[in-house]
Amino acid sequence: MILKQIFLTENPIYIFGMTLVLGVLAAFEVSYWRAKRQFPGMFMGALVSIMASALLVALFGNAYSLNMDPAYTAVKFIPTIGMLFGNCMIGVSIGMSSVMDMLDTQRGRVEVMLGFGASRWEVIRPVVVDALRAALLPTITNMGITGLISIPGVMTGWILGGADVLQAARYQQIILFMISAATASSTLIAVIFCASVLVDRVPVLRLDRIRTAGTESALSKAGIESSMSRAPSRLALLRATCRPKSELYLSRNASSVSSSPTACNEEDLQTTGSLTMLDSRLSGLEQVAMTGRSPSSLTPLLRSREQL
């Protein structure tokens, strides 16, 4: 009875209100009810990515593919956007989880890249690409087997309802394209947002922002406070052990270059450039510590510096 009244309504306020309710529920499902790990802003990121992508694709598809006038006609708009929400949830959930897992497991590589002067986008780009591949795999697989191995629900419903098979196949194809477009765009937005939160503007890897569901943080308060208290001493150790080597190396090579231009080979130039980038990176970490934020780890920087 309630669904009948919803599908028969022509008031856009009721229609878009129902759409907003469905979108909020989808974002809650992704961020709280099913998520094993969370980060600040995860709910808003999921809500914006799912709502924006599904709403845009649904309006465009209903207007130009399903020939609905107006495009938000409830009898087709609400079922269509419901399917889009369901598939976007899967892509966004897998994508965000993949980003958090990869940044956690590849922590050492990420921090070494940051230590040698990599930009924020250079660090998160491979993570974003791998997360997109994992998140879009179910959608791509479903498109590949449709009509060959399985007959999807929309086509089955039309056929059982007595519609022409070709007409049913046409509608199913349109729905699949809409699902693919909405899932890809929403997953892309969510994955980039997640990676940008966990690698901040400095840029520094911020795994302390991840917390497991039902607990306060993946890193306990005591652990964060302990790390914060040790940060100044660790930075002092870095400066004491690394900066003298850098200044000595640079001054020695500068004198050798001034006396003999051929004495400085390509390897020396590369090492000098690496030391310079790492010195600037250490200065950035000192600024981070002074503002009260703790870097994830300074150990890879120290090891890389000693190797140089």
Side-chain angles (χ1 to χ4, degrees), residues 172-237:
Q172 181 61 65
Q173 192 174 23
I174 293 172
I175 294 298
L176 280 178
F177 289 151
M178 293 171 65
I179 288 174
S180 301
T183 304
S185 56
S186 62
T187 304
L188 177 62
I189 296 172
V191 164
I192 292 178
F193 173 75
C194 179
S196 300
V197 170
L198 299 180
V199 180
D200 62 12
R201 295 180 181 179
V202 174
V204 170
L205 181 62
R206 298 299 304 276
L207 294 181
D208 58 293
R209 291 178 174 175
I210 300 177
R211 62 185 181 89
T212 57
T215 60
E216 186 171 353
S217 175
L219 298 176
S220 63
K221 264 190 173 181
I224 295 176
E225 292 175 356
S226 176
S227 178
M228 289 293 296
S229 64
R230 292 196 305 267
S233 60
R234 298 180 72 184
L235 284 170
L237 176 62

Side-chain angles (χ1 to χ4, degrees), residues 74-287:
V75 68
K76 287 191 177 179
F77 178 77
I78 293 179
T80 300
I81 202 166
M83 287 187 290
L84 297 183
F85 280 154
N87 287 272
C88 288
M89 284 170 51
I90 298 174
V92 170
S93 179
I94 296 176
M96 287 185 170
S97 298
S98 299
V99 170
M100 289 185 280
D101 292 340
M102 282 187 283
L103 287 178
D104 192 9
T105 57
Q106 301 176 14
R107 179 187 311 179
R109 181 185 64 83
V110 171
E111 290 185 336
V112 168
M113 291 178 65
L114 291 173
F116 280 93
S119 66
R120 187 185 194 182
W121 175 244
E122 288 174 339
V123 171
I124 68 175
R125 181 174 57 186
V127 176
V128 169
V129 171
D130 291 341
L132 281 175
R133 287 175 180 170
L136 296 179
L137 183 60
T139 302
I140 296 173
T141 303
N142 187 33
M143 289 185 64
I145 65 174
T146 299
L148 297 175
I149 300 176
S150 66
I151 299 178
V154 174
M155 185 174 177
T156 302
W158 277 72
I159 293 174
L160 294 178
D164 182 66
V165 176
L166 294 179
Q167 188 74 3
R170 175 179 174 271
Y171 274 101
Q172 181 61 65
Q173 192 174 23
I174 293 172
I175 294 298
L176 280 178
F177 289 151
M178 293 171 65
I179 288 174
S180 301
T183 304
S185 56
S186 62
T187 304
L188 177 62
I189 296 172
V191 164
I192 292 178
F193 173 75
C194 179
S196 300
V197 170
L198 299 180
V199 180
D200 62 12
R201 295 180 181 179
V202 174
V204 170
L205 181 62
R206 298 299 304 276
L207 294 181
D208 58 293
R209 291 178 174 175
I210 300 177
R211 62 185 181 89
T212 57
T215 60
E216 186 171 353
S217 175
L219 298 176
S220 63
K221 264 190 173 181
I224 295 176
E225 292 175 356
S226 176
S227 178
M228 289 293 296
S229 64
R230 292 196 305 267
S233 60
R234 298 180 72 184
L235 284 170
L237 176 62
L238 276 171
R239 178 175 286 279
T241 55
C242 297
R243 285 291 169 83
K245 296 180 182 179
S246 173
E247 294 168 358
L248 177 62
Y249 185 88
L250 294 176
S251 61
R252 184 181 66 227
N253 280 277
S255 60
S256 64
V257 170
S258 60
S259 60
S260 175
T262 59
C264 184
N265 56 25
E266 184 179 355
E267 183 179 357
D268 291 332
L269 290 175
Q270 291 177 353
T271 306
T272 304
S274 299
L275 289 169
T276 304
M277 286 190 297
L278 197 53
D279 282 337
S280 64
R281 182 66 187 153
L282 290 175
S283 300
L285 289 175
E286 290 173 351
Q287 295 176 1

